[in-house]
Amino acid sequence: MNKFIAIVGSNSKKSTNRELLKYMKKHFQATAEIELLEIKDLSLYKKSADEYVPQEALDMAKKIEASDGVIIATPEYDHSIPAVLSSALAWLSYGIHPFVDKPVMITGASYGSLGSSRAQSQLRQILDSPELKARIMPSSEFLLGHSLQAFDDDGNLKDEKVVKQLDGLFQDFVQFVNISKQLNNANEVNKQKAEEFSWEKD
């Protein structure tokens, strides 16, 4: 059984993105083991002369590296991902590179009708950066709009069409992960390139 890390891309105590990941953990428990990771306790990213990385980020990196894949749920603020998620990804690419060639599924929930579509597009660009080099599942947007009304009292998604779409995308992700395990011939070189990359070099 695959083991996935699910990152809650918000520091809100009542995030519907957390609700979505909790639902996925329960709903897909027969298919995969999903562990939720919170980023709300990470300090804001800041470069230092000694290249200090918080222990919380190091612990997260170990779990990501040991996983078969990562699911990220992001809200959308002003057509972009939250600052807390951007900061967490910066820590997770500062001297450590757990995302290199790691299969990633992007999801998102928002109160409006668009379901974090622009934030997801931005997140794809970030994950594709030289310092992260994640392997993002293509053509796979899961956009949960009107998320405050999307769940019942037991935390289940109410709309059967939405559940069917999520089921299909998750099955695709499992297949994507299994295929990705056979596509790691350049992984060692890719990690080395991520470690050596610097925007300051010519």
Side-chain angles (χ1 to χ4, degrees):
M1 182 181 290
N2 284 312
K3 294 184 178 181
F4 299 148
I5 292 297
I7 297 176
V8 180
S10 171
N11 58 359
S12 171
K13 292 181 179 178
K14 296 183 178 181
S15 170
T16 52
N17 282 278
R18 185 181 295 106
E19 285 189 62
L20 173 59
L21 293 179
K22 283 184 176 180
Y23 169 78
M24 291 178 69
K25 177 177 180 172
K26 179 176 64 174
H27 187 65
F28 297 120
Q29 60 185 338
T31 307
E33 180 183 323
I34 300 176
E35 178 184 355
L36 268 64
L37 283 188
E38 298 281 354
I39 59 174
K40 57 185 175 64
D41 296 324
L42 267 177
S43 59
L44 287 177
Y45 173 74
K46 182 179 179 181
K47 283 187 176 182
S48 60
D50 60 353
E51 297 187 353
Y52 168 78
V53 179
Q55 187 60 48
E56 293 88 349
L58 295 173
D59 292 342
M60 288 180 67
K62 286 181 180 178
K63 290 189 175 185
I64 292 169
E65 285 181 337
S67 74
D68 296 297
V70 177
I71 304 164
I72 303 177
T74 180
E76 181 170 315
Y77 302 147
D78 298 327
H79 291 173
S80 62
I81 66 172
V84 65
L85 178 55
S86 178
S87 177
L89 292 173
W91 278 129
L92 292 168
S93 58
Y94 185 52
I96 50 178
H97 304 280
F99 276 101
V100 173
D101 294 330
K102 186 66 64 176
V104 176
M105 176 182 182
I106 298 174
T107 65
S110 71
Y111 297 170
S113 59
L114 295 179
S116 79
S117 61
R118 289 173 175 166
Q120 289 195 33
S121 178
Q122 184 194 41
L123 182 54
R124 283 179 177 274
Q125 289 183 310
I126 294 170
L127 289 168
D128 197 39
S129 67
E131 301 95 327
L132 284 158
K133 297 180 76 69
R135 185 172 285 151
I136 311 139
M137 187 167 77
S139 304
S140 59
E141 284 186 324
F142 179 72
L143 310 170
L144 183 63
H146 303 295
S147 57
L148 285 175
Q149 295 81 38
F151 299 93
D152 63 22
D153 293 338
D154 295 319
N156 297 313
L157 288 171
K158 293 189 284 189
D159 191 324
E160 290 185 8
K161 289 183 179 179
V162 172
V163 173
K164 187 175 181 180
Q165 182 195 19
L166 182 58
D167 285 348
L169 288 173
F170 191 79
Q171 288 175 18
D172 287 347
F173 183 58
V174 171
Q175 290 185 356
F176 179 67
V177 167
N178 292 334
I179 292 170
S180 291
K181 290 176 181 178
Q182 303 173 44
L183 303 176
N184 278 329
N185 295 303
N187 181 254
E188 189 174 329
V189 175
N190 289 339
K191 282 192 174 182
Q192 184 178 355
K193 289 180 71 174
E195 290 168 1
E196 294 174 351
F197 179 83
S198 172
W199 290 104
E200 298 169 5
K201 291 180 181 179
D202 293 332

